[in-house]
Structures are given as structure tokens and as C-alpha cells.
Amino acid sequence: MSIDATTYDELKEIAARYPQPRSGLLPMLHLVQSAEGHVTPAGIEACAEILGITPAEVSGVATFYTMYKRRPVGDYLVGVCTNTLCAVMGGDEIFARLKEHLDVGNDETTAVRPEDKHSVTLEHVECNAACDYAPVVMVNWEFVDNQTPDSAVALVDDLRAGVERHATRGPRLCTWRQAERVLAGFPDGLADEGPSAGPASLAGLRIARERGWSAPATVGGRDAAAQPDSKLAAVEEADTRRAESETVTETVSKEGTSDD
């Protein structure tokens, strides 16, 4: 079964954005998920054909990154952080409660009951990079902060029932396919809806302003204005610093040996 013509044309549109078309593979795979519900064989074939690479090369990318799904995803992808801080703050308990409440395991999707409008796929994630709001749940990559087992249950119940919910630091929650289309580079107009950062994330900035703190004028002991202005210069400087560091280490080591 081939991918539909509209999606195929949009895949070509994404590839054309880049000087090297292959650079468009990541957003192209997001578009495939938007259209197909997951990365399908037809989507892989289409990406490979447009980019002039093999399906195996496309599959290698699709199986490497966890945001690309090889099985159908529900209308809402709910990820519970179970990394260290979130786990300590209750993330493990939230995940266990949701598994029991939804009657699914990790990376599984709920059955749609007669009273449901939407399905939910549940997964645990290792880190949502939002430790200041632990424990954190994500819905289609949007943050829902400071959760408890009860609030998480209320969240998924609302999602299944079609009740509008908003991210804590972002817009109202759209479906997973809609979110995937945004990640493919087709804006939905919601980028400026809702706050982008909360008080906990900005606490350090607030304290610095209150106390008149600012970043030092130098970087790494050198004048900030004299920092390398090209990638090649940066590599050369890094090599020089590494050589200097190794020389110092070697000298100290020899001195220690001679003292013995």
C-alpha cells in the first residue's frame, strides 16, 4: 500500500527545504507519522525514493530515535517520566497507577470504549528535561507539570472523553497526529499560546537580576571578544587547549615521579 499523493508531495516539499535533501529525513518521518499514525513501510519507501537512499537507511534512522513509532499510536501519547528525580517525586507511582487505570502496559494503546472519543498510548520516558517541575507527564511532547497519581488519572480521563486540556507551559493539547505535523514543519498557529517558561525555570534569572549578577566578561580565561569566529577556528582552539592540558598533566606526573 503506497502513501497518499498529498503526503508524498509534502514529503518532497520538506526535502526541498534543505541544501542536502537527506537532511530533511527527520521532519519527513514526523510527517509520515502525522499521516499514517506511525512509521509505516509505505512511508519508509516514500522517504527513500524521494531522497535517493535505501529503505534500510531510512529504517536505521526510524529505529534509532524513540520519537518514531513502529506501531500505531493513539490519539494522545502520554509519557510519564520515570528518571531519577521524577521517580523519587512520584513518577513511578504515577506510571503504575496509569497502567492499572488504563489497563495497558508500556507502549500500549487503550481500547476505545463506547463513551470514549479518543484513545491514549502510554509510555514511560527516561527524562523530559523538566526536573524543576517533577514529577512531569508529557502529552504529545507538551508539558503537564507537578503531577500526582490522581491528577494524572484525571488528565487521561479528560483526554479520552474529548475534554479540552492545556499544557502547563504551552498551548491547548492537540492530537498526536496534529503534533507530528507541527514537528514536520507545518505550523498550527499555536506557538505563542500559553507561557513558555514557568517561575521555577526562571528562578535563577530572577535572583541574578535582583542581586545585579552578570556573566563574566571572559570565557575560559580568554577575552570573550576573541572567541573563534568559525567552526574550524573553534576546532583548532579546542585541540590547542587539549594539548596544553595534556602537557600540564604530563609535567605534574613527572614531577611527582621524581619526588618519589
Side-chain angles (χ1 to χ4, degrees), residues 107-192:
D107 199 27
E108 293 182 354
T109 302
T110 60
V112 179
R113 305 165 301 183
E115 66 270 27
D116 291 339
K117 291 186 177 180
H118 299 291
S119 58
V120 168
T121 296
L122 179 68
E123 67 173 358
H124 78 80
V125 291
E126 284 306 311
C127 185
N128 280 327
C131 301
D132 43 352
Y133 291 99
V136 172
V137 171
M138 291 193 89
V139 179
N140 303 337
W141 324 123
E142 295 286 355
F143 291 113
V144 185
D145 303 324
N146 299 319
Q147 290 296 285
T148 67
D150 287 343
S151 68
V153 166
L155 172 66
V156 296
D157 283 348
D158 282 349
L159 296 175
R160 297 177 85 179
V163 176
E164 184 176 283
R165 293 292 300 259
H166 288 245
T168 309
R169 290 170 285 137
R172 60 185 178 275
L173 299 173
C174 60
T175 67
W176 185 73
R177 290 196 183 203
Q178 290 170 331
E180 285 297 297
R181 185 169 177 81
V182 173
L183 291 174
F186 297 92
D188 60 2
L190 301 180
D192 296 323

Side-chain angles (χ1 to χ4, degrees), residues 6 75 129 140 198 200 257:
T6 298
D75 298 315
N140 303 337
T257 302

Side-chain angles (χ1 to χ4, degrees), residues 49-125:
E49 181 178 300
I50 291 169
L51 297 177
I53 59 179
T54 67
E57 290 174 297
V58 177
S59 293
V61 173
T63 55
F64 182 83
Y65 295 104
T66 58
M67 289 179 76
Y68 300 121
K69 308 301 183 182
R70 303 307 298 272
R71 294 188 295 177
V73 175
D75 298 315
Y76 291 94
L77 177 63
V78 175
V80 181
C81 184
T82 55
N83 211 331
T84 307
L85 185 56
C86 277
V88 169
M89 298 295 288
D92 287 338
E93 185 179 354
I94 290 172
F95 187 61
R97 178 78 172 275
L98 289 182
K99 286 198 297 182
E100 178 183 5
H101 181 71
L102 297 174
D103 194 26
V104 296
N106 180 54
D107 199 27
E108 293 182 354
T109 302
T110 60
V112 179
R113 305 165 301 183
E115 66 270 27
D116 291 339
K117 291 186 177 180
H118 299 291
S119 58
V120 168
T121 296
L122 179 68
E123 67 173 358
H124 78 80
V125 291

